[in-house]
Amino acid sequence: SVFYPFSGPDFLHAYYLYPSANEFILVALEPIMDAVKLDTLNSSTRNSFLDSLNHSLRDSFRKSFFETNNMREDIKRVKGVLPLLYFFIERSGHELVGQQYFYLDSAGSETPVSIAKLYKYRTPGVKLEFRDRQTRQLKQLYYFNINMLNDELKRRPGFEKFLKRKKPFNTFIKSASYLMHRTTFVRIKRLITENSVSLFQDDTGIPYNEFRDKLDWSIQFYGEYKKPIKLFEIRYQPDLDSAYKTATTKEPIPFTLGYHYGSKDHNYMLVRKSKASTPR
């Protein structure tokens, strides 16, 4: 399983980094809405919708992430995350074979529900089942529309129980606005560190000092560490800078992925838990 918090509808990068995974769990603030049925629209309305969908993908293709302010407006036009998820699933060589709206109860169990009643519950989600057109491998994607602030997760114990049942999983974090550098996101950070077998992230994820002195984690550095972009200058990590400068092995990154898009100034860490400490 791959856990991708703060993802938006970005199945694209999760799939290409973890092509053999058969389960993806995405969590973000963008809403779940009933998808537009294209075959019920007249030609003009349909073309207008597809233009809006194309427009909503511009940041993902050009920058490798969805800009929050742009996504807020784009999602209104394309009616939620589903059209973007459908697009990524189809264009990555898969076919959609099933969909189910559901909510999680306090025990973390999935309960099917209609889209009309989805937001009557605290932990709304949608599950997409899809198949690789070449290998015929069946996969599934969960998307949860919840806030991951400490207090919000505390109000949703079912989500934590659901996620723990998926352990050990691989966690992927990119372009996450340095949210887990704040004390208001300690709970999701703990869920990741206690239940992941690996974590692939840029410097916007969990601070480096959370792993620096822990003997049960190994760290492989990729790329080059540069100071955060101007918007997040305060999140500069001197210890991570030093670690990159003194690392005996660093691997190059043959692609641009993150806030320093279009340059070579991007970094990733592959943090892996030792077999002895892997959660069961």
Side-chain angles (χ1 to χ4, degrees):
S1 295
V2 175
F3 177 46
Y4 185 4
F6 313 104
S7 61
D10 181 30
F11 168 72
L12 179 69
H13 292 99
Y15 167 68
Y16 278 105
L17 285 168
Y18 298 89
S20 298
N22 57 19
E23 185 175 60
F24 300 85
I25 304 167
L26 278 56
V27 187
L29 293 177
E30 286 73 30
I32 302 165
M33 302 172 69
D34 205 12
V36 173
K37 296 176 176 58
L38 295 180
D39 57 355
T40 67
L41 304 178
N42 62 46
S43 177
S44 176
T45 304
R46 182 167 59 248
N47 287 339
S48 178
F49 172 82
L50 292 174
D51 284 344
S52 295
L53 178 61
N54 182 58
H55 185 70
S56 71
L57 295 164
R58 67 196 183 285
D59 287 336
S60 180
F61 290 152
R62 185 162 56 95
K63 301 178 180 179
S64 77
F65 59 90
F66 290 102
E67 281 197 13
T68 302
N69 290 335
N70 289 342
M71 178 55 48
R72 189 176 293 119
E73 294 302 315
D74 294 337
I75 283 292
K76 293 177 183 177
R77 298 189 183 96
V78 300
K79 308 300 182 184
V81 297
L82 285 176
L84 291 98
L85 291 174
Y86 294 162
F87 178 88
F88 288 143
I89 287 172
E90 176 69 27
R91 293 299 295 273
S92 59
H94 300 89
E95 57 182 340
L96 187 68
V97 296
Q99 174 178 297
Q100 178 67 67
Y101 299 112
F102 69 92
Y103 69 90
L104 295 180
D105 61 22
S106 59
S109 299
E110 302 170 40
T111 301
V113 66
S114 69
I115 185 65
K117 296 181 179 179
L118 182 63
Y119 280 95
K120 291 185 177 181
Y121 303 94
R122 287 182 177 174
T123 314
V126 61
K127 179 167 64 176
L128 304 178
E129 294 181 290
F130 55 102
R131 179 168 48 219
D132 187 301
R133 292 183 184 275
Q134 290 188 334
T135 67
R136 312 308 291 170
Q137 180 186 2
L138 280 170
K139 307 182 181 186
Q140 58 186 14
L141 181 153
Y142 287 93
Y143 178 88
F144 291 95
N145 177 209
I146 60 174
N147 192 316
M148 286 175 283
L149 282 163
N150 294 336
D151 290 345
E152 294 296 325
L153 285 182
K154 189 176 181 179
R155 295 174 61 236
R156 296 170 172 84
F159 176 74
E160 295 191 15
K161 292 175 182 177
F162 169 87
L163 198 58
K164 287 177 180 179
R165 284 203 290 267
K166 300 294 183 179
K167 70 180 182 182
F169 46 76
N170 301 284
T171 297
F172 169 48
I173 303 170
K174 75 168 177 63
S175 311
S177 301
Y178 299 87
L179 293 175
M180 287 183 288
H181 288 232
R182 306 178 185 178
T183 57
T184 48
F185 286 90
V186 170
R187 204 174 185 104
I188 185 62
K189 184 168 59 177
R190 186 169 62 245
L191 269 173
I192 291 169
T193 56
E194 290 181 355
N195 299 286
S196 299
V197 68
S198 77
L199 167 62
F200 187 61
Q201 65 163 22
D202 60 12
D203 63 309
T204 71
I206 296 174
Y208 169 66
N209 61 24
E210 301 278 345
F211 306 103
R212 183 182 56 202
D213 301 319
K214 291 187 176 181
L215 298 178
D216 56 337
W217 291 92
S218 65
I219 303 176
Q220 173 65 55
F221 297 107
Y222 294 86
E224 295 292 338
Y225 179 72
K226 300 293 183 180
K227 290 184 178 180
I229 59 175
K230 190 172 183 179
L231 180 63
F232 299 110
E233 285 178 329
I234 193 174
R235 300 304 176 186
Y236 169 65
Q237 300 177 66
D239 54 351
L240 182 57
D241 195 355
S242 297
Y244 262 86
K245 289 176 179 175
T246 59
T248 54
T249 59
K250 281 187 298 186
E251 298 290 339
I253 302 179
F255 47 77
T256 291
L257 191 65
Y259 288 153
H260 291 287
Y261 60 90
S263 76
K264 295 182 179 180
D265 299 338
H266 45 283
N267 67 88
Y268 274 84
M269 292 178 284
L270 178 59
V271 187
R272 286 184 282 199
K273 190 170 287 188
S274 67
K275 290 184 178 180
S277 59
T278 300
R280 300 292 179 184

